[in-house]
Amino acid sequence: MSYDLMVFNQRKVPYEFSQLRPWFHTHMEEDVLPEKSPAIFCSFLDKIRKWFPPMDQCPESRLHDACDYEIHEDFIYMCFSYSAAEKAHGIVKRLAKAENLGFWDVSQSFDRTFPVTLPADRWPMILEAGWIPHGRQFVYHFEEIQKVLKQMKKVERSSLCLTDRQGNYIQAGGFQDIFIVEIRNYTEPATWKQLRAEQKAENSVADALVSINNFQIQVPGSQVLSREQVCRLFLEFTEETLFLNQNIFWQTLEL
């Protein structure tokens, strides 16, 4: 068995899931494959093959990353080994967004609930916290997130993480009115930066112990944020407009 993904021309392919499946099966069986790659896929293919070489061109040392590509006029069907599934899912999904292509997790190993993602899709996002039933929930607008942020009033509710459809996330640690905030921001399909919010010196407070779940972390005063600031950063994250706050900047963390 293989782990299968598809990227597609969202202007030509019906992306409503109930229509996509029958459309796909018809075209997999009846399409005449083009002799050369359609222009809309050329940039995607040039980049994705660097991570996942075509099966017939893959060096033996990289066989675990090999991919079988079937290129149609309006979509590309890709088959990976299951050992590469998680890696392939993230990279293909983020590269599809960058190249303005639709994405379908055909095997539905990672996106069972929302297997189809278009480049402009932001919602739903995944909100994770220990006190949320089952540990996580899908959220569809910022008001749902803000409601949970307001519940961070005691140590048992001192860690919250919000992840978008591309794997970027923002997380807050702390409670009452003493928090720290970090983000993971993908700069390339397989490369990200880990950043922590810091205030400009004139706006910072004294160094503090921030309680996160069952441990405490001592941080410089410049990293201590209020609940109001945290809410603002989560709002900016959902709108893809980070770095707007003139009093806050993002410091790269060395991992």
Side-chain angles (χ1 to χ4, degrees), residues 10-236:
Q10 59 181 321
R11 298 181 182 88
K12 298 287 188 67
V13 177
Y15 48 80
E16 290 293 335
F17 199 51
S18 60
Q19 301 174 34
L20 176 56
R21 272 196 178 278
W23 184 95
F24 163 73
H25 287 299
T26 298
H27 283 264
M28 279 294 283
E29 295 172 0
E30 299 180 2
D31 276 2
V32 176
L33 301 184
E35 293 184 4
K36 57 183 296 186
S37 301
I40 192 172
F41 299 127
C42 288
S43 177
F44 174 87
L45 286 167
D46 285 346
K47 294 173 183 176
I48 199 66
R49 285 168 173 161
K50 295 175 183 177
W51 284 293
F52 303 103
M55 197 77 70
D56 59 353
Q57 302 173 22
C58 187
E60 188 172 347
S61 61
R62 297 193 61 194
L63 284 178
H64 56 284
D65 284 334
C67 176
D68 186 15
Y69 297 89
E70 186 170 313
I71 303 167
H72 292 245
E73 192 66 39
D74 295 320
F75 67 95
I76 303 173
Y77 194 78
M78 293 168 280
C79 301
F80 303 87
S81 68
Y82 263 99
S83 61
E86 186 172 1
K87 176 182 176 182
H89 175 270
I91 291 177
V92 172
K93 190 175 190 178
R94 285 184 284 273
L95 185 56
K97 177 180 174 67
E99 298 296 330
N100 200 36
L101 299 172
F103 168 89
W104 179 19
D105 184 352
V106 182
S107 295
Q108 295 189 51
S109 297
F110 298 91
D111 287 330
R112 292 184 180 89
T113 308
F114 303 98
V116 179
T117 299
L118 301 183
D121 285 347
R122 295 287 295 152
W123 306 94
M125 298 185 186
I126 300 173
L127 195 63
E128 297 175 273
W131 72 93
I132 294 176
H134 311 296
R136 56 189 286 174
Q137 69 183 58
F138 289 107
V139 289
Y140 295 82
H141 48 78
F142 176 70
E143 287 70 21
E144 294 177 275
I145 302 162
Q146 189 175 37
K147 180 180 179 181
V148 179
L149 284 167
K150 290 179 178 178
Q151 296 172 6
M152 300 178 74
K153 297 179 179 179
K154 51 188 178 181
V155 71
E156 293 82 7
R157 298 183 173 186
S158 56
S159 179
L160 184 69
C161 182
L162 176 68
T163 306
D164 70 11
R165 297 289 292 271
Q166 307 302 323
N168 302 293
Y169 65 67
I170 182 169
Q171 57 186 7
F175 66 102
Q176 293 179 342
D177 213 35
I178 299 177
F179 296 89
I180 58 173
V181 173
E182 293 182 8
I183 63 170
R184 180 175 70 183
N185 183 38
Y186 275 92
T187 54
E188 296 288 342
T191 308
W192 72 86
K193 289 184 178 180
Q194 193 79 15
L195 309 166
R196 181 173 291 174
E198 293 207 21
Q199 300 192 74
K200 293 182 178 179
E202 61 268 22
N203 299 302
S204 64
V205 296
D207 292 3
L209 284 174
V210 179
S211 297
I212 305 174
N213 297 331
N214 295 317
F215 65 92
Q216 293 183 319
I217 176 173
Q218 185 162 4
V219 299
S222 60
Q223 296 178 1
V224 177
L225 305 179
S226 68
R227 185 190 308 277
E228 181 180 349
Q229 289 172 313
V230 173
C231 286
R232 179 63 193 175
L233 293 179
F234 270 70
L235 174 61
E236 291 179 0

